[in-house]
Amino acid sequence: MNKKWTSTRLLPFANAFIALSLLYYWIETSAVINPIAIILAGIFALHFFVARGFYRMIFPSIFIVLNLYMFLALFSEFSEFSTLDKNALTLLSVGIIYLGLNLISAAIILHHNITSQIVTVET
């Protein structure tokens, strides 16, 4: 299977999922002026306007680091449960699925940007 074809086909879904994740985060904070969400949305929007280069790799890299940090926060919150009950399992399963999809989406975008950069250099 052609890797370029795979990353190109999955790219719209990855971008849409990350855009929805940013929107969900902004809504859940209940603050219209959320500086972190504004900065992330700005970098995400800049990601579409910059044609090539290093700048296209900034947003997926930041998003991967933030989601790895959130994995640590998830496991920290999970460790506070004294017993392994339904709430603990729900927190862990939903958190791993959501953060895992965020990581996969950011990795797809980063892979696409790296491979398009390599193709540009080779041609």
Side-chain angles (χ1 to χ4, degrees):
M1 185 185 307
N2 187 356
K3 290 181 182 179
K4 180 70 175 164
W5 181 85
T6 304
S7 68
T8 303
R9 293 282 294 218
L10 294 176
L11 187 65
F13 299 110
N15 283 325
F17 186 77
I18 288 180
L20 289 175
S21 292
L22 283 171
L23 184 63
Y24 174 75
Y25 166 69
W26 201 332
I27 291 170
E28 283 298 311
T29 58
S30 299
V32 175
I33 302 175
N34 181 347
I36 295 173
I38 291 171
I39 291 170
L40 284 175
I43 294 172
F44 185 63
L46 180 68
H47 169 78
F48 290 107
F49 295 116
V50 176
R52 299 260 187 258
F54 174 73
Y55 297 109
R56 293 211 51 158
M57 295 176 208
I58 291 175
F59 178 76
S61 301
I62 290 172
F63 208 69
I64 287 172
V65 169
L66 287 175
N67 279 288
L68 291 174
Y69 177 75
M70 291 307 294
F71 263 112
L72 294 176
L74 173 68
F75 291 126
S76 172
E77 188 69 27
F78 178 72
S79 69
E80 292 181 6
F81 284 96
S82 57
T83 60
L84 191 62
D85 60 351
K86 182 181 176 186
N87 292 334
L89 291 175
T90 302
L91 171 76
L92 191 62
S93 60
V94 170
I96 286 176
I97 290 170
Y98 178 69
L99 293 174
L101 287 173
N102 276 338
L103 281 172
I104 290 169
S105 298
I108 288 169
I109 294 171
L110 187 62
H111 177 266
H112 175 76
N113 292 338
I114 289 172
T115 56
S116 67
Q117 195 67 9
I118 290 171
V119 169
T120 304
V121 170
E122 289 177 358
T123 58

